[in-house]
């Protein structure tokens, strides 16, 4: 088995699965009904909570998937394919966080209705995924600094 080609295909598949998760959550949110005027709205609230959880998972999968090893071959794609996994993880996390803030606090307020809610939920997912990727990247850098300090001592 050609491991570098497998890693490249795995990276593309994980990023695609994360982005497909965002699309699925947005479609789910667009299909939500408004809570009834006479009820307590608990089922709608749980559905919205599940949508937020789903978009957070999708954002994390897509951004961390971008940080996987780039591999080799035709599927070695992306603007930072020649950089290390840590660089891609941190850069992808920063880009996803900025994109999430732009969606959640910018575009969501320019739209109306359930479209606005779907854009806001997608923005929250990218923001959460980006922050998780930044935290993982910081953890990797910290572990490497400690390991270098221990080996040089």
């Amino acid at each position: 088995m050609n491991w570098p080609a497998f890693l490249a295909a795995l990276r593309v598949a994980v990023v695609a699965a994360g982005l497909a998760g965002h699309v699925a959550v947005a479609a789910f949110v667009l299909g939500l009904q408004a809570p009834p005027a006479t009820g307590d709205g608990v089922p709608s609230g749980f559905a919205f909570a599940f949508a937020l959880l789903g978009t957070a998972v999708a954002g994390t999968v897509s951004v961390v998937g971008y940080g996987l090893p780039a591999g080799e071959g035709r599927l070695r794609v992306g603007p930072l394919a020649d950089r290390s996994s840590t660089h891609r993880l941190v850069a992808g996390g920063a880009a996803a966080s900025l994109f999430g803030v732009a969606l959640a606090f910018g575009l969501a307020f320019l739209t109306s209705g359930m479209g606005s809610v779907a854009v806001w939920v997608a923005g929250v997912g990218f923001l959460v995924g980006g922050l998780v990727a930044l935290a993982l990247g910081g953890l990797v850098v910290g572990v490497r600094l400690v390991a270098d300090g221990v080996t040089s001592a």
Side-chain angles (χ1 to χ4, degrees):
M1 173 176 251
N2 187 1
W3 282 106
F6 174 74
L7 287 175
L10 177 69
R11 178 174 168 243
V12 169
V14 170
V15 171
L19 294 176
H22 276 293
V23 171
V25 168
F28 175 75
V29 169
L30 288 174
L32 287 177
Q33 299 295 326
T38 59
D40 59 1
V42 171
S44 298
F46 275 121
F48 188 72
F50 287 137
L52 284 175
L53 182 64
T55 194
V57 169
T60 302
V61 167
S62 60
V63 177
V64 171
Y66 182 69
L68 291 175
E72 292 178 357
R74 295 183 323 184
L75 294 177
R76 183 184 171 106
V77 295
L80 299 174
D82 58 339
R83 302 289 182 176
S84 71
S85 295
T86 307
H87 285 114
R88 277 195 317 279
L89 185 64
V90 171
S97 296
L98 290 175
F99 184 63
V101 167
L103 283 179
F105 298 110
L107 188 60
F109 290 108
L110 297 176
T111 58
S112 63
M114 288 307 284
S116 173
V117 175
V119 169
W120 186 83
V121 167
V124 167
F126 279 112
L127 179 61
V128 169
L131 292 176
V132 167
L134 286 172
L136 287 174
L139 181 67
V140 168
V141 169
V143 166
R144 285 185 183 162
L145 287 174
V146 169
D148 288 344
V150 168
T151 56
S152 67

